[in-house]
Amino acid sequence: MGFGFALRRLALIGPGKDPAELTFTRGLNVIAGASDTGKSFVAQCLDYALGSSAQPKEIPEAEGYCSVVVEIEANSDQRVYSLERSLRGGEVLCKTNGRADRVLAAKHQGGKEDTVSQFLLDLSGLGTKRVRTNERGTTRPLSFRDIARLVIVDEETVI
């Protein structure tokens, strides 16, 4: 596969705390469980780490954790990237072996390459795509937020 990426791991990290983490496999991953076990929180953390402006809701189980980390594997070269973002907001730290760490803006800005949205779109082969916004044919750059709802489907959307 030349384009795209696969989720490998989602973790909450904090000083003096063992990471709270989930691992993913290639293909469809379903988070299932009883009510109030954290399924929605997992979706919120994943979406937030991938550039959403909506911070995950505060839950007692997350006390003491300060950042969310998502690891993704690029389909093009199997390189693993770690995207880390403070639960209080801010930019995304992108790490991978053999390359300098990069700070990516959380908010998409058309034409800027140093955003988490542009990084994910480039991995997906969609980095230069545009979206039509009206009947007159006006377009704007595609944002990962435009397709995130197709990647992360929460329980409410399924219902």
Side-chain angles (χ1 to χ4, degrees), residues 82-157:
S82 173
L83 303 175
E84 181 178 336
R85 188 172 184 197
S86 168
L87 289 170
R88 300 209 185 288
E91 311 303 345
V92 177
L93 179 62
C94 178
K95 302 177 186 180
T96 189
N97 288 335
R99 294 190 183 168
D101 294 352
R102 298 169 52 189
V103 175
L104 302 172
K107 184 168 176 53
H108 181 78
Q109 300 167 25
K112 287 197 73 174
E113 302 225 354
D114 58 346
T115 68
V116 69
S117 177
Q118 191 63 50
F119 171 75
L120 296 170
L121 290 171
D122 288 344
L123 285 180
S124 301
L126 300 171
T128 60
K129 301 301 180 190
R130 299 186 63 82
V131 175
R132 185 174 167 174
T133 60
N134 61 32
E135 295 174 355
R136 295 183 309 275
T138 304
T139 64
R140 65 167 174 77
L142 179 68
S143 166
F144 188 74
R145 295 288 93 210
D146 294 320
I147 60 173
R149 63 186 179 83
L150 304 173
V151 177
I152 306 163
V153 183
D154 64 11
E155 181 179 23
E156 290 178 17
T157 303

Side-chain angles (χ1 to χ4, degrees), residues 61-72:
E61 294 82 359
E63 189 173 322
Y65 292 102
C66 60
S67 296
V68 60
V69 177
V70 65
E71 287 182 2
I72 59 175

Side-chain angles (χ1 to χ4, degrees), residues 12-63:
L12 290 182
I13 58 173
K17 295 196 67 103
D18 290 334
E21 60 186 20
L22 287 173
T23 56
F24 299 97
T25 59
R26 283 200 170 267
L28 177 66
N29 288 267
V30 176
I31 308 294
S35 294
D36 295 323
T37 57
K39 299 179 301 295
S40 294
F41 183 73
V42 167
Q44 292 168 10
C45 286
L46 185 56
D47 196 29
Y48 180 69
L50 297 178
S52 172
S53 61
Q55 295 174 343
K57 292 181 180 171
E58 291 185 24
I59 61 172
E61 294 82 359
E63 189 173 322

